[in-house]
Amino acid sequence: MTGIIKRICTGVEIFFLGVAGCAVPLLLPDCAHAQLFTFSRQELADYTAQSSFDRLPDGRPKVPDDLLERARDLSSEEVWAVLQEKGFNNQYADGFQILHPGKTMVGRAFTVQFMPLRADVDDVAEAKAKQHGLQRLTNQTAIDMLQPGDVLVVDLFGKKVDGTIVGDNLFYYTMQATRQGGLVVDGSVRDLDGMAEIDMPAYFRAADPTPIGNVMLTGINIPIRIGAVTVMPGDLVVGDREGVYFVPPQVVKELLDRADEIHIHDEWTKKKFAEGKYKSSEIYGSPTDPKLQQEYREYLKKRLEEIRKQRNPQ
Amino acid sequence: MTGIIKRICTGVEIFFLGVAGCAVPLLLPDCAHAQLFTFSRQELADYTAQSSFDRLPDGRPKVPDDLLERARDLSSEEVWAVLQEKGFNNQYADGFQILHPGKTMVGRAFTVQFMPLRADVDDVAEAKAKQHGLQRLTNQTAIDMLQPGDVLVVDLFGKKVDGTIVGDNLFYYTMQATRQGGLVVDGSVRDLDGMAEIDMPAYFRAADPTPIGNVMLTGINIPIRIGAVTVMPGDLVVGDREGVYFVPPQVVKELLDRADEIHIHDEWTKKKFAEGKYKSSEIYGSPTDPKLQQEYREYLKKRLEEIRKQRNPQ
Amino acid sequence: MTGIIKRICTGVEIFFLGVAGCAVPLLLPDCAHAQLFTFSRQELADYTAQSSFDRLPDGRPKVPDDLLERARDLSSEEVWAVLQEKGFNNQYADGFQILHPGKTMVGRAFTVQFMPLRADVDDVAEAKAKQHGLQRLTNQTAIDMLQPGDVLVVDLFGKKVDGTIVGDNLFYYTMQATRQGGLVVDGSVRDLDGMAEIDMPAYFRAADPTPIGNVMLTGINIPIRIGAVTVMPGDLVVGDREGVYFVPPQVVKELLDRADEIHIHDEWTKKKFAEGKYKSSEIYGSPTDPKLQQEYREYLKKRLEEIRKQRNPQ
Amino acid sequence: MTGIIKRICTGVEIFFLGVAGCAVPLLLPDCAHAQLFTFSRQELADYTAQSSFDRLPDGRPKVPDDLLERARDLSSEEVWAVLQEKGFNNQYADGFQILHPGKTMVGRAFTVQFMPLRADVDDVAEAKAKQHGLQRLTNQTAIDMLQPGDVLVVDLFGKKVDGTIVGDNLFYYTMQATRQGGLVVDGSVRDLDGMAEIDMPAYFRAADPTPIGNVMLTGINIPIRIGAVTVMPGDLVVGDREGVYFVPPQVVKELLDRADEIHIHDEWTKKKFAEGKYKSSEIYGSPTDPKLQQEYREYLKKRLEEIRKQRNPQ
Amino acid sequence: MTGIIKRICTGVEIFFLGVAGCAVPLLLPDCAHAQLFTFSRQELADYTAQSSFDRLPDGRPKVPDDLLERARDLSSEEVWAVLQEKGFNNQYADGFQILHPGKTMVGRAFTVQFMPLRADVDDVAEAKAKQHGLQRLTNQTAIDMLQPGDVLVVDLFGKKVDGTIVGDNLFYYTMQATRQGGLVVDGSVRDLDGMAEIDMPAYFRAADPTPIGNVMLTGINIPIRIGAVTVMPGDLVVGDREGVYFVPPQVVKELLDRADEIHIHDEWTKKKFAEGKYKSSEIYGSPTDPKLQQEYREYLKKRLEEIRKQRNPQ
Amino acid sequence: MTGIIKRICTGVEIFFLGVAGCAVPLLLPDCAHAQLFTFSRQELADYTAQSSFDRLPDGRPKVPDDLLERARDLSSEEVWAVLQEKGFNNQYADGFQILHPGKTMVGRAFTVQFMPLRADVDDVAEAKAKQHGLQRLTNQTAIDMLQPGDVLVVDLFGKKVDGTIVGDNLFYYTMQATRQGGLVVDGSVRDLDGMAEIDMPAYFRAADPTPIGNVMLTGINIPIRIGAVTVMPGDLVVGDREGVYFVPPQVVKELLDRADEIHIHDEWTKKKFAEGKYKSSEIYGSPTDPKLQQEYREYLKKRLEEIRKQRNPQ
């Protein structure tokens, strides 16, 4: 069994977390001070104050489960339209390898940040940890904190070799813990064959046989950067065949309502196209003929009512 | 519904087309003069004069439907062999993302060219349009002109952001209008999840959530460049898992006849290999043994006859 | 049929091989001296002396068939773990296009090296060939030498255009000759649509419609370089969704035994995770609770016995 | 001498130009109709109507010589500022190799477009040419039309091999003909060692030993695309260490006046910084202290007067 | 003057800094709490505790001026050798454009971090700022804090467009404030022509005409990432023709002493090579002949004494 | 001094060379048999038999010193023209970083090949070496064999990290040993600042602070591949601002004679252009006016005589 253990331990992940004197949940701000970058519960609350949703025990905004469910029908384009209007121009990341294209990813962002290992900073961190009777922070520390509905979002600065956040075992655990939430890593994964058999979405830059190493875990549920996006803990994460959107919780409700209309519009548009009587510009984006406009308005109203009834069947 | 309309209108597409005083078809040269680049019906006829096929109403050579049908069995390699002989060395483009790998794309090239938006040129064009009581040219103007059997071929100079020629609605329309012809864009598409459910081949450089914008439509059915290929309106477009060939109409017939022989040759070659008695060099490219050569010649003759009979069942 | 032959002959492949006065097998060192690079049977034996397996007739170490069979369950990560321990840090290549992701490739390396064509060297080689009454070496010469269980491993220095080692016909032959062994080419393939219908793994840099040309075959079953790997003839080749490992024969047995343990470990780990009672760090990499450690040890022992029994059913 | 001639003739450049029955200048629209893309004198006038400058004999707007001279002090940033305000967001191209960094390039755009060679189109063009007793268009045809103050701007679609618009001989001629105007080519050059000894700016994608070939000249002084810029004939071309701006003539005057102010502002800013008494934010972008603001305003006024006096010494 | 001001203000830089109730120096931890990421004076002290040098007023370790002076003779290779021994494998970044190749950059790291702009986080930050009567943090806030001997090290996540940390004016200020210290930016610069005339080293990813924008300043003198390096405030920064090293202060002294020996070794080696009597392996890395070894040891001793005398002339 | 030695020894270079029982020159085939790839003196003679020049003691063709001298005036274009005619299409490599652009590199190819380190092959080689009382082959073994007029040409398969063939000390030695011949490495160099002060041309892919390591030297003066070129020992190497040509010795004389004519042609062409009376097409490639043709012929004849007289002053 030595071999197996050695295989695992070559992945050097560091920094420590308050455990000893800390109550559950693990990320209580008073305990987490040993991280290189801390983001206190109060800071998290302040910077996500626009969200009126409940909070998860770790302080993140909790986009409700029923909205998560509705978000499964979103496409990047619909998210784009609303975020653009709200002035959010930097919430989209792409260029990933996608594990299960066609399976939409939806969940709440659980963020993790790594930085390149640096021996002296590591030594100080270890000393601090010992002093408080604590253990080091590893990728598994973070993974153990995942909640149902989470998407694990990890900044590994695009690292391929030694930048593998999970293999198939931890990916399986993540799937169980998040109830098939998902994974976004600006870094790599390993055991891709094994992962391919596990039914959870994953977005990653590369696959590599090496375990994670030569890095240090510098923050959990702090603001992180994925590509050109600033991701906040608790963001709604939506991934499709194109890429991943990180949606601030406060715009989720409006975004979903607007998406309903867009779905109906697409439905109606294709129906009219299927009739084969119209040029595309007579129907799309908006019908040119007032009669068709009227027809569309009525269709929209009817379908919206149906959808709402379906959601609240009473 | 305002939101939906806004979503669509952010795509700025310009230049206008004669509609008012023009009879159908839309691209009559006298009306189309407001395009930045024009290619009159006479020019189109002159530069494609080697084609002896009928013409489409817009002047493009019309590779006949039965030849399109036979072209579905072509592979890039067979096209390569004949074009090489005819001195066409620049008719192949690759490096695309392919929507439905394994589904061969076949059709007649309908070409569209965009260039980067330039405010002063745009102003002049708009003024000219108004003066003639015309509307601006948009991507939908072009799409509305598509005919059954067409492949929409678009030069968007590799643009990703704001370079999306269609989303799922217009892709659906294109599928309907061309009878599942296809799309080649040196640019991007959006709504990739939606497009994936529509059964038509598409070749594109990237997918992006933004709508088309910051460009101007500068020509319809003019010679355009896709990668290192000069594409002429009416070219036979053939796409497979590797890339796309643009075949001048005048060589289509010979190419298809030659492909029949190559298919039979491959059929026979694999049959002999399956017997397990021969080294590859004894059979392929040409049998070394005169008896096998004879066998092949007879097989070829028989199969050609069968194929021809099958095509013209009397 | 001229067209077909011409199609094939444009692929210029050169250098010759002793045939006339040579007994089978073809690669007897005394005959092969006309290759630009030779690696005599003695040299091959010396440099692979650590392998205690039998030899193939051409001198390569022969990893036994039953070990090949067991190797089908390997993943790159398992190979990585053992090779790392043994000091082999350069045996992995990736960045390939993969024909059938999910279908593991396993076999013995049959190596071929090409270099850019150079007229004067070619002339000398041809003269030498004539002088001995020999034929030139071509890609088909090499392919004709393939044995059941081989993977064809080809250095074509990343060439795309004119760097296509096989099309669907020769790929079909290779599949037959190697009993679905496989292909790794640091170069390209053609007829990708045809190849996709043939059930054998293939790893290649690109697909292109051109035939092979403008190169010379400079060595068969000599040490070659694929990416940053030195591949020796007879290496165990293992390919999965991530990339390809070239395993020195002498470590194959230990590697497979270790892989059995890792498989059982993964099996047990996922079983425990599926129970939903543990944090990931309580179970993986190694259980923290002594009782669980005990449970695992017993499970491991039992499963190893089962596996061995299954392999040697008496 | 045969060798020399052969060296030159391998560069296949095509399409023809009216010479026989045409008066000087060569590009009279009635004669140039044999080009694949034509842009008549009237079209050129219409699309550049916002320019109030004189015209060159070939119809291009002529930014006056004294403004060209003043433009030598521009940097890309100053051009950026004004174009941005005027709504021109797509007039900058970069990513070039620069022959003489530090030597600003200034001149009027003389545009040339090439497309990939296509045998059938080429045949038609040649036939048309013969029919009118004309010669083919080559890169030298275009180069022979250059005027003093011109910058040769060429779309060769990024071609490296066989995409060399000039070598040192034609570069020398261009330098003479344009009075050291300059060269921008979205393609390559050859004889870089020879070119390095010639004192004219050049912006190119690559250098290669091959001569131009496998292309056809499809337009002279038509709108062309360089990177993501639509270049119009007669644009003011400004190149510095970063890249190249293509400025519509109608904004040149305002741009230069504004640049005077920016130069003075930079002059004053650095003077204040050199005093070492201020934080950067106290001075730049605009002084925070009203007294400094007043000082700056007086400095600006004085220096503007000096500059104007210097330009018009009475 | 409006134009000038507008030019500058388009660069949106944000987040604020305690000024109102804070004494100098600006970065007192109690005031800086409004930054997204804070690193208190105590944290900075803890994580750089291995340095025994004095501290700058802002808490960074202060590598003494005389050591900075000696560091001007370092090359990347010498730094590599010592850091490697000390277990620092991740302190080197390259791939930069270099403003003045051949001019070694030496100084103390002053770190700045930007992240992509995000409207909601920005709003909170602005509100917090107002609440405390503070101004926003901009790139100039950071630049105004620079000290003599500093190198400005900026994480702009590789941004080119809108990622320009300075133009020539602020680069000039930086040169004055740091006494020609230097600049490293994982992002871009503008006004490259102007910068080229200013005598200070700069390492940047690209140059672009746009001003900085669409980003937020998220930390000053916090640990940042440049490429695959974790940079700590106060690190010794050494840049040469190859790239940049970030040296932990505690190893600077040993590194410089070792560099003296390496310089002498190189001096002696070249001297012996110049004699033309020896093969390279007889002299380098270490002489094979015991007499030459003795000669070298004496030379080393003598030169070390000379150097030390020269540094401390009594 | 330990530090210095350690610095050097981290570069692991292997394989051995017959020294003990071998007479000078070192590369006698009977001794060199321990290399992974051998190329006997006879093979070298056979494959370069078209060269009628003398041989160097190691068997390479020796392009005479006076021809080397004349080759200093060559440019890549002139080499291209002649090699193209002779059917050598693959003798040019580019994409290098160039140490001293503007300084032409000329010399005879001394080739060295490395491959990725492989522990088992290395063990065998070491055992073989010991058995014969030999030392391992290192990069210094090769460098010690360099002759005046040589260019060191090294295949390090594009390796950057640990792929540095020389630093400034060995580059200095190489400069001394080759009399400023030059260096081409498909790999990297270190100590770039030091190298920049040494007056010898160098072409390399990258610079890196690491020493060479993780590779094995597999051949000296064997055929190697640089980019898409097969380089033979003794090739004339010509490097300019664009790239490097490897010229088979047998075409060197004709190439140089032809270059004389091209130089004169360029001289005359520029002289005529400088007169300002001609369009470029009237003079270049060949004058259109018979009188000018005559003038050129006379000029050519006169200048050729002058050049020859100058070379052989009697």
Side-chain angles (χ1 to χ4, degrees), chain B residues 54-124:
Chain B
D54 286 348
R55 300 271 154 177
L56 288 154
D58 56 22
R60 287 180 292 150
K62 183 178 180 184
V63 176
D65 286 343
D66 61 325
L67 296 191
L68 289 191
E69 209 44 54
R70 283 177 59 189
R72 291 196 188 284
D73 292 330
L74 287 173
S75 74
S76 287
E77 284 65 29
E78 294 159 356
V79 182
W80 179 88
V82 175
L83 289 190
Q84 197 72 4
E85 273 182 34
K86 302 286 178 188
F88 291 102
N89 303 311
N90 301 321
Q91 297 307 113
Y92 175 68
D94 61 7
F96 295 99
Q97 287 189 41
I98 303 178
L99 186 62
H100 298 300
K103 184 176 176 67
T104 305
M105 177 174 65
V106 167
R108 306 175 192 99
F110 182 101
T111 68
V112 181
Q113 187 196 56
F114 289 85
M115 288 181 78
L117 179 63
R118 184 172 159 139
D120 54 350
V121 172
D122 190 25
D123 289 349
V124 174

Side-chain angles (χ1 to χ4, degrees), chain D residues 1 3-5 7-8 140 144 160 168-170 172-173 176 190-193 196 207-211, chain F residues 75 77 80 92 94 240-242 245 258 261-262 265-266 269-270 273-274 278-281 284-286 296:
Chain D
M1 225 184 66
I4 293 163
I5 292 169
R7 178 175 68 120
I8 291 143
Q140 283 189 252
D144 281 354
K160 180 177 183 280
D168 63 344
N169 287 306
L170 291 180
Y172 184 86
Y173 178 86
Q176 293 276 79
R190 63 196 306 237
D191 293 305
L192 191 52
D193 269 19
D208 199 75
T210 56
Chain F
S75 74
E77 284 67 28
W80 179 89
Y92 174 70
D94 61 7
D240 65 5
R241 264 189 180 83
E242 297 176 32
Y245 258 105
R258 287 278 301 284
E261 292 186 36
I262 296 174
H265 182 258
D266 287 0
T269 299
K270 285 191 188 124
F273 284 168
Y278 306 98
K279 289 287 165 195
S280 82
S281 52
Y284 181 83
S286 181
Y296 171 66

Side-chain angles (χ1 to χ4, degrees), chain A residues 1-8 10 140-141 143-147 160 162 168-170 172-173 176 189-194 196-198 207-211, chain C residues 75-78 80-81 85 92 94 102 104 240-242 245 258 261-262 265-266 269-270 273-276 278-282 284-287 296-297 300:
Chain A
M1 225 185 64
T2 338
I4 293 165
I5 291 171
K6 185 178 296 177
R7 178 175 68 119
I8 292 144
T10 45
Q140 283 190 251
T141 318
I143 287 169
D144 281 354
M145 296 163 69
L146 289 167
Q147 300 299 316
K160 180 178 183 282
D162 304 338
D168 63 344
N169 287 306
L170 291 180
Y172 184 86
Y173 178 86
Q176 293 276 78
V189 297
R190 62 196 307 237
D191 293 305
L192 191 52
D193 269 18
E197 290 166 17
I198 296 166
D208 199 74
T210 56
Chain C
S75 73
S76 286
E77 285 66 29
E78 295 159 357
W80 179 88
E85 274 182 34
Y92 174 69
D94 62 6
T104 304
D240 66 4
R241 267 190 178 83
E242 298 177 31
Y245 259 105
R258 289 277 300 283
E261 293 186 37
I262 297 175
H265 183 260
D266 288 0
T269 299
K270 284 188 191 127
F273 284 168
E275 295 177 14
Y278 305 97
K279 290 287 164 194
S280 83
S281 53
E282 293 172 292
Y284 182 83
S286 182
Y296 171 66
R297 271 191 298 269
L300 174 64

Side-chain angles (χ1 to χ4, degrees), chain A residues 75 77-78 80-81 261-274 277-289 292-293 296, chain B residues 1-13 135-136 138-144 164-174 189-192 194-195 198 208-212:
Chain A
S75 74
E77 284 65 30
E78 295 159 356
W80 179 89
E261 292 186 37
I262 298 175
H263 285 156
I264 295 165
H265 183 258
D266 287 1
E267 197 179 279
W268 184 81
T269 299
K270 286 190 189 124
K271 216 166 62 87
K272 298 314 282 184
F273 284 169
K277 292 188 297 193
Y278 307 97
K279 289 288 165 194
S280 83
S281 52
E282 293 172 291
I283 299 296
Y284 181 82
S286 181
T288 45
D289 179 342
L292 285 169
Q293 288 178 15
Y296 171 65
Chain B
M1 222 183 68
T2 338
I4 292 164
I5 292 171
K6 183 177 299 177
R7 179 174 70 119
I8 291 143
C9 296
T10 46
V12 184
E13 300 110 17
Q135 294 178 309
R136 291 170 152 232
T138 69
N139 59 340
Q140 284 189 253
T141 317
I143 287 169
D144 280 353
T164 50
I165 184 65
V166 296
D168 62 346
N169 287 306
L170 292 180
F171 189 66
Y172 184 86
Y173 178 86
T174 301
V189 297
R190 62 197 306 240
D191 293 304
L192 190 52
M195 284 177 58
I198 296 166
D208 200 73
T210 55
I212 193 169

Side-chain angles (χ1 to χ4, degrees), chain F residues 52-116:
Chain F
S52 55
F53 295 132
D54 287 349
R55 299 271 155 177
L56 287 154
D58 56 22
R60 288 179 292 150
K62 184 179 180 185
V63 176
D65 287 343
D66 62 324
L67 295 190
L68 289 191
E69 208 45 53
R70 282 177 61 190
R72 291 197 187 285
D73 292 330
L74 287 171
S75 74
S76 286
E77 284 67 28
E78 294 159 357
V79 181
W80 179 89
V82 175
L83 288 189
Q84 197 73 4
E85 274 182 34
K86 303 285 178 190
F88 291 103
N89 303 310
N90 301 321
Q91 297 305 114
Y92 174 70
D94 61 7
F96 295 100
Q97 288 189 39
I98 304 178
L99 185 63
H100 299 300
K103 185 176 175 67
T104 303
M105 176 173 66
V106 167
R108 305 174 192 99
F110 182 100
T111 68
V112 181
Q113 187 196 56
F114 289 85
M115 287 180 79

